[in-house]
Amino acid sequence: MKNIAIIMGGYSSEFEISLKSGNVVYKYLDKTKYHGFRVHIFKDKWVYVDDNNNEHPIDKNDFSFTANGTKIKFHAVFNAIHGTPGEDGLMQAYFDLIGLPQTSCDYYQAALTFNKRDLLSVLKPYGIKCAESFYLNKGDHIDTAAIVAKVGLPCFVKPNKSGSSFGISKVKTENELPIAIEVAYKEDNEIIIESFLDGTEVSVGVINYQGKVTVLPITEIVSDNDFFDYEAKYLGKSQEITPARISPEITEKVNAVAKRAYEILKMKGFSRSEFILVNGEPYMLEMNTIPGLTTESLIPQQAKAAGISLEDLFTNAIELALAK
């Protein structure tokens, strides 16, 4: 039996969603192969939480803990932390340093994909299309006329490094820009302002499944709200249709772009990329490397449509990590 630490929580607004994802992994872990341990990673404590909710401090020297006088070490880590420090490369670098295998991509890929501006800048020369954008750093002068001239209206104001649609606003008039910028700065000190792309929103999971880069069935997002915001993602204010209602030709095109991005970046583990389809052309918005793994989340939905159970999905991720 291999000891698997399932890390969850994190330091960002997404910690509650991460705890849900981590508990789903814990529940569906193959108990015949693995002994799962829920490890909460918070700014003020790293602890293993047992089934009676007792907390055992994690020794950061080797990521172990001691219970009843016995030191317990892990064979691998299943990373279920959305946002920092699990999705931006910090935990990946730490585990790399102490030589502990983990299920997500490497630290450089995590840091790069977590930064929307840098990700799109790297992929653009490879012919991957993205929206027109304008960048701001905290303290920069805000010239609303220049922003509108570059990206047009309506537009989206987003924190550069955050997830779950925290801090995102759809802006319809120039007057709304300063308020939206303030909202985004609450999540991050860097902002990306993007032109509105009028088209079908799709989400595409790409994983390494049994050693082969595999594109999962595409999900079409139909939000009841103005865009796929937090409510639409987690509070049922959207329809998620898998497989997406798009033609075989467009499906093939999206699959090719999603797979290419995964391979260009030398990705490992899970990834979920968001695209807007405009006149049959996929425009990339972002890539998530620790996508939600709750039973309602998109990757589990897509895996199910591909005939992959959650148990198989998680076993595959752990086995690939151990094989590294």
Side-chain angles (χ1 to χ4, degrees):
M1 287 277 274
K2 295 268 197 288
N3 288 343
I4 307 298
I6 303 157
I7 60 171
M8 56 186 96
Y11 305 166
S12 77
S13 305
E14 296 187 86
F15 78 92
E16 287 178 359
I17 298 147
S18 168
L19 292 174
K20 280 186 183 170
S21 288
N23 279 308
V24 168
V25 176
Y26 180 68
K27 181 180 173 183
Y28 286 95
L29 209 60
D30 184 340
K31 308 291 187 289
T32 64
K33 290 181 179 162
Y34 313 115
H35 189 180
F37 295 81
R38 288 176 296 179
V39 177
H40 289 190
I41 304 285
F42 290 114
K43 271 186 179 153
D44 58 341
K45 60 182 180 183
W46 289 19
V47 290
Y48 155 57
V49 181
D50 67 25
D51 287 340
N52 299 316
N53 280 330
N54 297 315
E55 296 184 348
H56 307 266
I58 293 286
D59 180 348
K60 292 182 186 175
N61 291 302
D62 59 1
F63 204 72
S64 65
F65 72 92
T66 303
N68 306 324
T70 307
K71 187 181 175 83
I72 308 286
K73 296 183 88 170
F74 300 108
H75 297 96
V77 173
F78 194 109
N79 185 353
I81 296 177
H82 312 311
T84 188
E87 200 166 5
D88 57 1
L90 295 177
M91 295 304 293
Q92 288 87 341
Y94 163 74
F95 290 128
D96 201 20
L97 284 170
I98 64 168
L100 190 55
Q102 54 90 35
T103 55
S104 66
C105 60
D106 294 336
Y107 63 91
Y108 171 72
Q109 284 78 359
L112 177 67
T113 51
F114 197 65
N115 186 313
K116 297 181 184 83
R117 303 190 323 196
D118 292 359
L119 168 71
L120 298 172
S121 303
V122 166
L123 291 176
K124 233 177 188 171
Y126 290 93
I128 291 174
K129 298 181 171 72
C130 53
E132 190 65 66
S133 56
F134 191 102
Y135 302 153
L136 280 175
N137 293 330
K138 195 147 198 178
D140 285 356
H141 169 65
I142 298 166
D143 181 344
T144 55
I147 295 168
V148 172
K150 178 103 190 276
V151 302
L153 288 168
C155 63
F156 282 101
V157 178
K158 305 176 178 181
N160 187 36
K161 306 182 295 287
S162 86
S164 293
S165 301
F166 285 111
I168 298 184
S169 308
K170 184 177 181 181
V171 170
K172 293 168 184 165
T173 67
E174 193 178 325
N175 295 341
E176 292 170 22
L177 270 170
I179 302 155
I181 288 165
E182 274 313 301
V183 168
Y185 276 144
K186 285 197 175 82
E187 294 292 329
D188 191 19
N189 58 7
E190 299 173 354
I191 287 178
I192 181 168
I193 303 173
E194 290 180 328
S195 59
F196 170 65
L197 294 171
D198 196 6
T200 304
E201 183 164 355
V202 295
S203 188
V204 193
V206 183
I207 59 172
N208 180 329
Y209 191 66
Q210 295 171 352
K212 182 169 173 274
V213 176
T214 304
V215 184
L216 297 171
I218 298 169
T219 300
E220 179 184 345
I221 311 283
V222 185
S223 177
D224 299 349
N225 295 354
D226 223 359
F227 64 98
F228 196 41
D229 60 7
Y230 182 89
E231 281 194 340
K233 270 183 184 157
Y234 300 108
L235 305 176
K237 295 282 184 79
S238 69
Q239 282 173 276
E240 293 154 11
I241 301 159
T242 312
R245 301 168 299 182
I246 54 177
S247 71
E249 298 76 40
I250 295 173
T251 299
E252 207 171 293
K253 203 179 267 187
V254 177
N255 285 353
V257 174
K259 184 170 189 251
R260 191 148 177 262
Y262 190 96
E263 290 173 337
I264 287 164
L265 298 172
K266 302 186 176 70
M267 282 295 299
K268 292 175 185 153
F270 298 97
S271 87
R272 199 191 73 227
S273 299
E274 319 300 333
F275 294 91
I276 302 277
L277 307 178
V278 183
N279 301 323
E281 288 298 320
Y283 285 73
M284 187 182 248
L285 299 177
E286 62 180 25
M287 183 188 281
N288 301 287
T289 58
I290 314 277
L293 295 170
T294 68
T295 41
E296 302 82 50
S297 297
L298 298 176
I299 289 274
Q301 283 183 37
Q302 294 171 3
K304 190 178 176 185
I308 302 168
S309 69
L310 284 180
E311 190 175 280
D312 286 345
L313 192 68
F314 301 152
T315 295
N316 178 70
I318 292 165
E319 290 305 317
L320 285 173
L322 289 167
K324 276 190 256 184

